[in-house]
Amino acid sequence: MTYPAAAGDLRPETPTAPARAEERSAVIDLEAIRHNVRRLAAVASPAKVMAVVKADGYGHGAVPVARAALSAGATWLGVAHISEALALRAAGIEAPLLAWLHTPDSNFAAAVAAGIDIGCSGWELGRIVAAAREQERPARIHLKVDTGLGRNGASIDTWDSLLGEAMEYQDQGLLRVVGIFSHLAVADEPERPETDEQLALFRDVLAVARDAGMDPEVRHLANTPATLSRPDTHFDLVRVGLGLYGLSPFAGQSSAELGLRPAMTVRTVVSNCKDVPAGQGVSYGLNYRTGGVTTLGLIPLGYADGVPRIGTGGPVRVEGTNYPVVGRIAMDQMVIDLGQRNVAAGGPSILGAEAVLFGDGTDGGPTAEDWAAAAGTINYEIVTRISPRVPRRYVNEQPSVSENPSAGEGRR
Ligand SMILES: *Cc1c(COP(=O)(O)O)cnc(C)c1O
């Protein structure tokens, strides 16, 4: 089944026409998502898994990823914004669901009404309680403490008073403190000492809560890198984002080395292929000039599709070879230099061939990490920034019979 990214992608199709891949698509392998969830759940066990599907599931599609993750053993979902959580509820997803990044304009009443758990760093508490009164329903909150990241979360010196206030409201039946959590700053660099410091502070905070008689259902600290490298950070629940999508958070370790499978493949179809002379300038600025007589391939993806404009040199795989992008990446297109092919004289043209920007990296194919290196960024950004102009196409929506031998039972 296809989830078009926008109404404009709904092209009429002849029902009898053979299935044809879109001209450009981000193919999302939901079996890879399920595999990654099972892998992360095994690592985290007995802690439970929260699948983090913020930012439209890091560009993979929040709803299909959430469904796949829940079917594979994740028991919680996490997002940044209440609006993202509401969209999941609107899609019929009823799993426990936490949203943690708010502004005074956030719709806390809608969150309470939809049974969404609300992260609370302090200032939100009054508004959450007001929402609970309005909805005549207790809010579910997770108190967040800043153990060193310096972003959200209650400062350590305000923890006592926030805890006390929250407990009073809990006694009044206006809310339930479901969780206590914090977020790590450098877990992707396991050799750094700050994770130990954050962990020690988190333990202190939990001890204060316990001594005050607060016994939350879930204490959570670990993101993907901590889940994979620091079992002592797992507590009751791990919040995994990147790993869910099969990507490695560590500079020196590949997805395969971590037992993960990248779920997104961005591919298109070559839109032009022509011979050019030596010294031909390529793309705006003419920053690249061909070294000799050669053949250029035109790839119809650009920065409007989420390819970083700065990523010249990033790989595009066509017919089993990775070619670096040459010249500037434009809004809609970019160019690869194929070497002399003499297409005019009947040499091998790649017009219409499939072109892959990145995928699961098997057989030497390009990866999101390759594009991150070309663009001076991280794999998180490469997948997340693929724009709505690239339709998402989902494969392996249902577990195969061999994957889940009992799936066929009881159907009749
Ligand atoms: C995004 C986010 C995560 C997930 O981080 P990954 O490194 O992608 O696993 C976990 N917790 C919080 C609070 C986040 O904002």
Side-chain angles (χ1 to χ4, degrees), residues 1-5 22 25-31 33 56-57 59-66 68 263-264 390-398:
M1 185 171 169
T2 301
Y3 298 78
E22 291 84 352
S25 50
V27 182
I28 313 299
D29 182 351
L30 293 175
E31 169 48 21
I33 300 278
D56 200 22
H60 295 65
V63 169
V65 168
M264 181 190 287
V390 181
R392 271 58 173 174
R393 181 156 57 88
Y394 293 91
V395 297
N396 296 324
E397 291 202 274
Q398 298 298 330

Side-chain angles (χ1 to χ4, degrees), residues 18-331:
R20 178 165 172 10
E22 291 84 352
E23 289 183 314
R24 54 193 68 73
S25 50
V27 182
I28 313 299
D29 182 351
L30 293 175
E31 169 48 21
I33 300 278
R34 293 189 297 268
H35 165 86
N36 297 329
V37 169
R38 290 191 294 262
R39 163 92 185 119
L40 293 161
V43 170
S45 174
K48 295 188 161 123
V49 171
M50 172 187 286
V52 177
V53 296
K54 63 190 177 186
D56 200 22
Y58 292 38
H60 295 65
V63 169
V65 168
R67 289 205 177 107
L70 293 169
S71 80
T75 50
W76 282 77
L77 297 171
V79 291
H81 307 162
I82 286 172
S83 54
E84 295 178 299
L86 291 170
L88 292 166
R89 285 284 187 259
I93 293 172
E94 288 170 0
L97 169 54
L98 172 64
W100 52 69
L101 182 63
H102 319 297
T103 74
D105 290 347
S106 295
N107 195 342
F108 295 108
V112 171
I116 292 162
D117 290 30
I118 305 169
C120 176
S121 298
W123 67 264
E124 304 95 332
L125 193 59
R127 291 165 199 264
I128 293 169
V129 165
R133 288 201 169 100
E134 182 193 310
Q135 296 298 318
E136 298 180 352
R137 175 176 175 168
R140 294 169 51 95
I141 72 168
H142 297 229
L143 294 173
K144 186 170 193 184
V145 57
D146 182 359
T147 54
L149 182 58
R151 301 194 320 198
N152 240 335
S155 305
I156 293 294
D157 57 2
T158 63
W159 176 242
D160 275 15
S161 65
L162 177 60
L163 187 68
E165 247 187 293
M167 288 186 70
E168 270 179 42
Y169 288 130
Q170 180 164 276
D171 290 343
Q172 294 166 30
L174 288 163
L175 57 77
R176 185 145 81 85
V177 178
V178 177
I180 297 175
F181 74 119
S182 186
H183 195 31
L184 295 169
V186 297
D188 56 323
E189 300 173 81
E191 67 290 348
R192 286 181 64 163
E194 291 95 333
T195 299
D196 286 330
E197 294 162 17
Q198 286 197 261
L199 178 58
L201 269 180
F202 191 59
R203 289 191 190 286
D204 290 349
V205 156
L206 294 176
V208 170
R210 194 184 327 110
D211 292 348
M214 169 80 72
D215 185 22
E217 184 184 323
V218 284
R219 303 158 300 161
H220 46 111
L221 177 63
N223 53 4
T224 296
T227 299
L228 291 168
S229 69
R230 293 291 301 252
D232 52 350
T233 64
H234 289 178
F235 294 94
D236 305 304
L237 182 65
V238 299
R239 303 185 306 268
V240 293
L242 193 75
L244 190 62
Y245 307 101
L247 300 179
S248 168
F250 303 117
Q253 264 179 303
S254 68
S255 297
E257 284 165 337
L258 296 170
L260 300 173
R261 307 216 307 244
M264 181 190 287
T265 298
V266 171
R267 37 77 59 204
T268 184
V269 173
V270 178
S271 65
N272 198 16
C273 182
K274 69 179 180 192
D275 306 321
V276 296
Q280 169 74 53
V282 173
S283 193
Y284 297 127
L286 305 178
N287 294 340
Y288 177 81
R289 289 196 182 268
T290 54
V293 171
T294 189
T295 303
L296 300 178
L298 187 62
I299 307 300
L301 286 170
Y303 60 79
D305 303 292
V307 181
R309 182 174 176 275
I310 199 176
T312 295
V316 178
R317 188 173 189 81
V318 184
E319 294 178 343
T321 302
N322 297 348
Y323 298 95
V325 169
V326 297
R328 275 196 201 149
I329 292 172
M331 186 181 291

